[in-house]
C-alpha cells in the first residue's frame, strides 16, 4: 500500500464485545467491519508499527481507510517553502513575540519592522501587524496595498475585551482591513458610535492587559493562517480562511467566525449632459 498510517486526529479503538471503531478527526465514532481480517493485525498496520505480510483482507480494509481520508500522506507535514520564509512582523511585542516563536518553529524566518518602514522593501513574502488596541484611522491604508505587489498581508487588533483576527490577503481580490471596517460599519446600527470609537478621543478605565495565554492564542491563530497559506495546506472550518473574520472574547477565549467579503469600488457618478 502507498500509505497505511492513520492521519493526525484519527484513532482506532478496540471496543469490548463490539470489535473495532474509528474515532474521526471531528470526534465521531464509526464501527469498522473487519470481516475475516485480524483486528490486532489491522491495528498494528494502521499505527505504522508493522506493515506485515501481504494480506488481501488487510489490504482491502486499508484501502477503505485511505478512500475515506483517514490515512496520512507519506510526505507528512508540508515544509515551509524557502521563497515564503521572509515574514515581517510589526506591532506590540506582547503579540509579535509569541508569533515569532511559532513561525520559527514552523520554518519561517520572521524579522521585525517599524510602522514607518517601506514594508515592501526587499520583497518579503508576508507582513503581519499586531495591535494591542484599536486601529487608528489610516494606519493600515498603505499596508492594504501589499497584496497588489504580491505580498501577503495579515493583521489583528484588540478593542476592549475583544480581539479581531482578520483574514489573510494574498491577492488583489482578497479582503483588506478597509473592507473589514466597511463591512463592520454596515452590519451594526451603531455605525456612528463605532466610527467615533475608531477615530475620536475616548475615556478608558483600567487597561486590559493581555495575559500570556491569551496572547499565545492570538499568535497561534495568526501562525496557523500564515502556515496554511505558505505551505498550501487546506482550510479548516466552515468558512474559507480568506473570507473569515474571527472575534475572540479575551475573557472566555471564545472564538466566533463571521463571513466577510471584499467591498467593490464605488462606481463614479455619471456626468450630467450639457
Amino acid at each position: 500500500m502507498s500509505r497505511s498510517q492513520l492521519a493526525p486526529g484519527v484513532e482506532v479503538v478496540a471496543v469490548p464485545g463490539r470489535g473495532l471503531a474509528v474515532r474521526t478527526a471531528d470526534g465521531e465514532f464509526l464501527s469498522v467491519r473487519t470481516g475475516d481480517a485480524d483486528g490486532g493485525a489491522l491495528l498494528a498496520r494502521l499505527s505504522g508499527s508493522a506493515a506485515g505480510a501481504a494480506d488481501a483482507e488487510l489490504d482491502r480494509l486499508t484501502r477503505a481507510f485511505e478512500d475515506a481520508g483517514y490515512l496520512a500522506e507519506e510526505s507528512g507535514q508540508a515544509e515551509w517553502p524557502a521563497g515564503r520564509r521572509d515574514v515581517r512582523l510589526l506591532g506590540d511585542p506582547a503579540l509579535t513575540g509569541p508569533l515569532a516563536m511559532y513561525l520559527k518553529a514552523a520554518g519561517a524566518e520572521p524579522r521585525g519592522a517599524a510602522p514607518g518602514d517601506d514594508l515592501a522593501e526587499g520583497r518579503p513574502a508576508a507582513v503581519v501587524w499586531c495591535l494591542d488596541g484599536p486601529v487608528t484611522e489610516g494606519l493600515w491604508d498603505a499596508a492594504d496595498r501589499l497584496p497588489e505587489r504580491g505580498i501577503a498581508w495579515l493583521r489583528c487588533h484588540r478593542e476592549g475585551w475583544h480581539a479581531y483576527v482578520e483574514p489573510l490577503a494574498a491577492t488583489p481580490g482578497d479582503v483588506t482591513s478597509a473592507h473589514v471596517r466597511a463591512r463592520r460599519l454596515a452590519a451594526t446600527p451603531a455605525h456612528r458610535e463605532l466610527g467615533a470609537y475608531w477615530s475620536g478621543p475616548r475615556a478608558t478605565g483600567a487597561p486590559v492587559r493581555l495575559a500570556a495565554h491569551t496572547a499565545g492564542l492570538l499568535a497561534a491563530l495568526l501562525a496557523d493562517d500564515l502556515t496554511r497559506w505558505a505551505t498550501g495546506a487546506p482550510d479548516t472550518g466552515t468558512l474559507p480562511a480568506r473570507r473569515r473574520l474571527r472575534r475572540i472574547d479575551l475573557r472566555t477565549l471564545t472564538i466566533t467566525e463571521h463571513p466577510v467579503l471584499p467591498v467593490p469600488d464605488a462606481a463614479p457618478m455619471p456626468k450630467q449632459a450639457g
Side-chain angles (χ1 to χ4, degrees):
M1 302 298 297
S2 59
R3 49 183 172 158
S4 60
Q5 190 168 6
L6 292 170
V10 179
E11 299 169 282
V12 176
V13 59
V15 183
R18 298 184 63 89
L20 300 182
V22 57
R23 185 186 189 277
T24 71
D26 293 327
E28 291 184 276
F29 283 98
L30 304 174
S31 297
V32 180
R33 296 180 180 178
T34 57
D36 295 332
D38 179 79
L42 179 61
L43 285 174
R45 175 177 288 194
L46 294 176
S47 69
S49 60
D55 184 290
E57 278 298 291
L58 287 180
D59 291 347
R60 178 185 66 81
L61 289 168
T62 305
R63 280 194 299 270
F65 273 84
E66 184 174 9
D67 293 342
Y70 296 150
L71 299 188
E73 298 287 347
E74 278 190 273
S75 57
Q77 185 175 359
E79 292 186 2
W80 198 297
R84 290 183 170 180
R85 288 177 183 163
D86 185 3
V87 179
R88 308 291 169 83
L89 303 182
L90 299 84
D92 293 284
L95 291 164
T96 58
L99 177 57
M101 179 183 66
Y102 292 146
L103 292 178
K104 287 178 182 177
E109 298 174 357
R111 293 190 289 163
D117 294 347
D118 178 1
L119 299 180
E121 183 179 0
R123 303 290 299 175
V127 172
V128 189
W129 203 326
C130 307
L131 290 178
D132 185 16
V135 185
T136 57
E137 195 72 32
L139 179 64
W140 284 349
D141 286 355
D144 272 349
R145 307 296 298 272
L146 290 172
E148 300 175 11
R149 307 179 69 174
I151 300 171
W153 165 226
L154 183 60
R155 59 235 169 251
C156 77
H157 70 281
R158 179 183 60 79
E159 298 175 6
W161 281 111
H162 293 126
Y164 292 85
V165 175
E166 300 192 5
L168 181 142
T171 67
D174 285 339
V175 176
T176 66
S177 69
H179 296 157
V180 171
R181 290 168 82 92
R183 294 295 185 185
R184 288 185 60 193
L185 288 172
T188 176
H191 56 90
R192 295 180 182 86
E193 291 79 0
L194 182 57
Y197 174 78
W198 288 336
S199 60
R202 55 185 176 270
T204 59
V208 174
R209 301 193 183 279
L210 281 178
H213 62 281
T214 55
L217 172 62
L218 296 176
L221 293 174
L222 292 166
D224 183 69
D225 283 351
L226 201 61
T227 302
R228 289 182 182 279
W229 164 78
T231 61
D235 290 343
T236 58
T238 57
L239 296 174
R242 295 194 195 178
R243 300 292 186 266
R244 175 188 63 197
L245 172 66
R246 284 177 290 190
R247 186 179 74 172
I248 300 91
D249 188 320
L250 301 176
R251 297 162 298 185
T252 62
L253 301 186
T254 302
I255 302 172
T256 54
E257 298 185 350
H258 307 271
V260 59
L261 297 172
V263 178
D265 293 333
M269 291 294 291
K271 294 182 179 179
Q272 292 184 350

